[in-house]
Amino acid sequence: MSESGGRASEPAFKARELDASDELAGVRSRFVLDDVVYLDGNSLGALPAAVPGRVEDVVRRQWGELRIRSWEESGWWTAPERIGDRIAPLVGSGAGQIVVGDSTSVNIFKALVGAVRLARLGDPGRDEIVVDATTFPTDGYIATSAARMTGCTLRPVTPAEVPGVLGDRTAAVLLNHVDYRTGRLHDLPALTAAVHAAGAVAVWDLCHSAGALPVGLDEHGVDLAVGCTYKYLNGGPGSPAYLYVRRDLQARFDSPLPGWNSHAEPFGMRPDYEPADGALRGRVGTPDILSMLALEAALEVWDGVSVESVRAKSLALTDFFLECVARYVPTGRVESLTPAAHEERGSQVALRCADAGEVMERLIERGVVGDFRHPDVLRFGFTPLYVGFGDVERAARALGETLGAGGGAAG
C-alpha cells in the first residue's frame, strides 16, 4: 500500500478516525454481536439485546401465567396498531396509519387489490396495473395474481419508464423504493406525483428503505405502502410486515382479505362483514403475538435515534466501502452496480463479480458476511445502527485479498 500522502491516507487509520467521530457508535451496544463483520442486515438484521428477555417474559409470564388474560392485560389485542405507531416515524407517517401483521406478500396483495378498488371508485374503466419489472420476484407474482383477480392487464416496466406509460387506464402502480439487487434508490416523490397526475393509486414496497433512509410517506402523499421488519428494523426472522393506508383513504380502503380481526365488532360474530374504522381494516386474522412482541422490543433500539442521522452514516459507510474497494481490489475484478450519486443510493453496495458465489463463500469463511444474488452479484448491506467504519475497511480488505490483491493497493 502506498504511503504517499501520509498516514491519514491509509484506510485503516481513516476508519479509526471515522469511528471515533461517529455519533451512532454507542447504538452498537444495543445489539448482540460478535467478531464477524455482518453486512447482511439488508436480508436479516442482527439481534437487538432487549429481545431475548422480552420474548422470555411473553412466553413465561404473559402466556404461561396470564394466559388468555394477556389479550387485555398485556396489550396483545392492540399490538398491531401500537407497533405500527412505533414504526410510523421511521417511514415519515403520522400515528394511526400503519397496522402490523401478516407477511410482506400478503400485505402487497391487500394493498394492490385495494388500490385498484380505490381507483375504480373514481373511474370504473381503469383496468391496468403497472409494476416494477425489476422488482423482487414475489411482488411480481402477487401483482400477476391481483391483476387476474381484478380483471386488469399487468404492465411491467422499469421505474424510469413509469411516467411514460401512465394514462387513463392506469389503476395502480407498484414500485420498490430501493432495488433489492443493485441498491438503487428510486425517486419516490416524483414517481408518486406522476402516478397521482394520471389519476392512479401509488403503492410502494419499502422493504429495503425503511430503517435505512427517510421515506416521507405523509410528506409525499403516498397512498399505500408495505414493508417488512426483519431487515433494517431488526425484528427477527419472519417478523410481521406492515401496511400503511393514508388517513384520508382509510374510509374507502376495501381490503380483499376481510377477517374477523378487521371487523368493526370482532367479537360480535355477525355473519355480515363491516370493516373497522381507520387502518385497523388492514388487519385480517389473529396476530402472531410472539414475533410481533419480539419486534416491539427490537424497535427500542431506535430510542433517541433519528432516521436522518442513520441516513448520513449510511452514505458515509457506503462511500467509504467503495473507496476501500477501489484501494484494495484489483482493477477490473469487480464492477459496482450501485449508483455513485447519493440521491440514487440505498444502504447497500452491489458488486458484479464473475465468480460471486464462490467469492462470498470464501468471505464468510473469513468472517465477513454478505450475500450472493444469482448469477454474479455480491451484495453488502450496511446497517448504520451497528456497522462501523472499521467493519467496512476489514470487509473491503478481505474482499481484496480473496480476489488476489494480497492486501496491497489495486492500481
Side-chain angles (χ1 to χ4, degrees):
M1 186 182 300
S2 171
E3 294 294 330
S4 61
R7 190 183 181 205
S9 67
E10 298 178 12
F13 182 68
K14 183 174 180 178
R16 290 193 290 272
E17 288 185 320
L18 290 169
D19 279 330
S21 61
D22 175 17
E23 63 179 89
L24 295 179
V27 181
R28 184 182 178 100
S29 65
R30 302 178 189 178
F31 291 85
V32 177
L33 298 167
D34 50 26
D35 190 46
V36 169
V37 176
Y38 189 64
L39 301 181
D40 209 3
N42 54 330
S43 190
L44 176 65
L47 172 65
V51 170
R54 186 69 53 81
V55 170
E56 182 177 13
D57 178 70
V58 171
V59 172
R60 292 187 181 277
R61 184 182 65 85
Q62 296 181 30
W63 180 14
E65 298 175 17
L66 295 178
R67 291 177 285 272
I68 201 166
R69 290 160 53 195
S70 278
W71 284 105
E72 295 295 335
E73 295 181 27
S74 300
W76 288 1
W77 184 256
T78 58
E81 58 266 31
R82 182 178 71 243
I83 301 171
D85 284 348
R86 189 68 186 259
I87 292 171
L90 305 181
V91 292
S93 165
Q97 298 178 104
I98 293 179
V99 63
V100 174
D102 304 313
S103 67
T104 305
S105 301
V106 171
N107 280 310
I108 288 174
F109 180 74
K110 287 186 281 187
L112 199 51
V113 174
V116 173
R117 292 175 175 178
L118 282 168
R120 286 177 172 170
L121 290 175
D123 182 354
R126 292 185 177 270
D127 62 355
E128 185 172 85
I129 295 174
V130 174
V131 63
D132 180 354
T134 63
T135 190
F136 187 75
T138 290
D139 290 31
Y141 305 155
I142 295 293
T144 300
S145 179
R148 188 168 64 247
M149 178 179 179
T150 57
C152 285
T153 299
L154 190 67
R155 188 165 189 175
V157 298
T158 66
E161 295 170 325
V162 167
V165 303
L166 299 174
D168 56 12
R169 291 184 55 190
T170 311
V173 180
L174 172 62
L175 294 167
N176 281 255
H177 197 190
V178 173
D179 186 289
Y180 81 101
R181 285 191 187 90
T182 67
R184 176 179 290 277
L185 173 64
H186 297 303
D187 192 341
L188 181 147
L191 287 169
T192 300
V195 172
H196 288 167
V201 177
V203 181
W204 284 92
D205 181 332
L206 308 179
C207 285
H208 286 271
S209 59
L213 52 92
V215 177
L217 293 178
D218 287 353
E219 177 186 357
H220 304 302
V222 169
D223 302 304
L224 303 165
V226 173
C228 67
T229 60
Y230 46 79
K231 300 182 190 296
Y232 297 107
L233 297 182
N234 311 294
S239 57
Y242 56 90
L243 171 67
Y244 165 90
V245 183
R246 200 178 70 217
R247 194 177 313 280
D248 63 305
L249 298 177
Q250 290 173 2
R252 292 174 285 147
F253 179 70
D254 182 8
S255 173
L257 295 174
W260 78 280
N261 235 247
S262 62
H263 199 287
E265 296 180 27
F267 295 98
M269 304 302 164
R270 289 161 37 190
D272 58 313
Y273 180 74
E274 179 186 349
D277 291 332
L280 287 178
R281 61 181 56 197
R283 292 171 66 153
V284 184
T286 305
D288 186 347
I289 292 299
L290 297 183
S291 61
M292 189 168 292
L293 297 187
L295 166 63
E296 186 172 33
L299 291 170
E300 292 175 4
V301 300
W302 287 91
D303 289 348
V305 176
S306 72
V307 177
E308 289 72 22
S309 64
V310 166
R311 175 59 168 166
K313 183 176 176 182
S314 164
L315 291 172
L317 287 169
T318 49
D319 277 344
F320 186 53
F321 182 69
L322 290 168
E323 176 186 329
C324 290
V325 167
R327 181 72 177 265
Y328 289 139
V329 175
T331 301
R333 193 66 176 82
V334 297
E335 172 194 359
S336 177
L337 302 179
T338 303
H342 285 182
E343 64 272 16
E344 297 178 359
R345 186 194 308 165
S347 199
Q348 75 177 50
V349 173
L351 301 176
R352 176 171 286 144
C353 179
D355 46 355
E358 179 184 349
V359 169
M360 185 54 68
E361 288 179 3
R362 292 168 64 189
L363 285 174
I364 292 172
E365 291 171 357
R366 297 174 63 117
V368 175
V369 178
D371 67 17
F372 159 66
R373 284 293 177 265
H374 185 81
D376 58 0
V377 175
L378 299 169
R379 236 180 30 153
F380 301 94
F382 298 85
T383 304
L385 297 182
Y386 55 77
V387 172
F389 293 90
D391 297 324
V392 168
E393 188 274 336
R394 177 181 159 190
R397 179 160 37 88
L399 177 61
E401 292 170 357
T402 298
L403 294 176

